[in-house]
Amino acid sequence: MVERVYVTYNQVHKLCQASAEQILNDFKPNLMIAIGGGGYVPARILRSFLKRPGSANIPIQAIGLSLYENLGRDGPVEEPGTKVTRTQWLDLSSLEMSNLVGKNILIVDEVDDTRTTLEYAVKELEKDVETARKKLGREGEKTRFSIFVLHNKDKRKKGHLPQDMKEENRYLAAQTVSDVWICYPWEATDIDEHDQLANSQAVH
């Protein structure tokens, strides 16, 4: 049976708060791209901690990617699929893409499990930004992608991140955990029960 670990909104909030200073200092993001649906809440919480007096809020854009498949067993436990599916993407014909060129972009998701979704997101976003950069004639402007996740599962990864991203330490996990199934509060249908379960255990 899959071991489940329950994470509360309070814990998510504190993980974002604890990571914000390093993100500001190392990544210097101009914009965030949240991977839906798990990256939405962390990105919004993180934005409050990344804001500095006199500066504007960091904009958040969203993409939707699906990799998990329901096992069809008791409860909402899922397992990683093998194919990434786009459920939502940036409008390549709009100003969105030009706004990404030459920026420091922070990709936010809740968990780094097999790394397949993150690999897909980085590759596809890099490709789309490069297309926009050439189309706009902004050849000298480099876009830097970084990654923030709440939890990294300590396991062998199927996906891979760009070598320069690893060399420049443009990846940050607020917490590394064992290979358990993490139940996030935004997935709960009964938040009181969820919090009770979370209070009775700790993340490994």
Side-chain angles (χ1 to χ4, degrees):
M1 184 176 178
V2 179
E3 181 184 358
R4 303 184 194 186
V5 171
Y6 293 83
V7 176
T8 66
Y9 280 114
N10 190 281
Q11 289 170 325
V12 170
H13 196 96
K14 289 182 177 180
L15 288 174
C16 291
Q17 182 178 17
S19 305
E21 199 66 33
Q22 184 176 344
I23 290 170
L24 275 172
N25 293 336
D26 295 352
F27 303 160
K28 300 177 174 58
N30 309 114
L31 182 144
M32 284 187 278
I33 294 181
I35 300 178
Y40 296 155
V41 175
R44 177 56 191 90
I45 294 172
L46 195 58
R47 186 171 76 167
S48 296
F49 292 113
L50 296 180
K51 181 172 169 55
R52 286 296 174 256
S55 64
N57 274 315
I58 295 175
I60 301 173
Q61 296 196 25
I63 58 175
L65 298 174
S66 177
L67 180 68
Y68 286 87
E69 301 169 350
N70 197 289
L71 292 177
R73 299 176 185 162
D74 182 33
V77 176
E78 298 171 324
E79 66 176 4
T82 55
K83 184 172 184 283
V84 178
T85 303
R86 288 191 189 189
T87 57
Q88 178 183 344
W89 201 253
L90 304 177
D91 182 358
L92 303 183
S93 64
S94 75
L95 289 174
E96 285 183 349
M97 293 311 299
S98 65
N99 289 339
L100 304 186
V101 176
K103 298 289 180 28
N104 294 330
I105 299 171
L106 181 65
I107 299 170
V108 180
D109 206 359
E110 86 276 46
V111 63
D112 180 0
D113 191 335
T114 63
R115 198 162 284 173
T116 307
T117 300
L118 289 172
E119 177 188 49
Y120 180 92
V122 173
K123 278 185 177 179
E124 292 299 302
L125 287 168
E126 284 185 337
K127 184 172 68 176
D128 289 345
V129 168
E130 180 64 16
T131 300
R133 187 171 70 94
K134 289 179 178 178
K135 184 178 179 181
L136 294 165
R138 295 163 63 178
E139 299 293 332
E141 299 183 50
K142 180 172 176 57
T143 301
R144 261 174 100 247
F145 287 96
S146 303
I147 290 172
F148 170 71
V149 294
L150 295 173
H151 297 102
N152 171 45
K153 293 189 182 182
D154 187 11
K155 62 189 286 186
R156 187 178 183 86
K157 306 294 187 183
K158 295 179 182 177
H160 302 280
L161 300 176
Q163 190 62 33
D164 62 333
M165 180 179 281
K166 290 187 286 187
E167 289 173 353
E168 296 171 14
N169 294 317
R170 288 186 276 118
Y171 170 95
L172 175 62
Q175 193 172 51
T176 296
V177 298
S178 57
D179 189 13
V180 295
W181 186 261
I182 305 172
C183 300
Y184 290 98
W186 46 85
E187 299 165 346
T189 54
D190 185 335
I191 194 64
D192 292 325
E193 179 187 39
H194 178 94
D195 286 349
Q196 287 171 4
L197 291 166
N199 289 335
S200 68
Q201 61 183 20
V203 175
H204 302 305

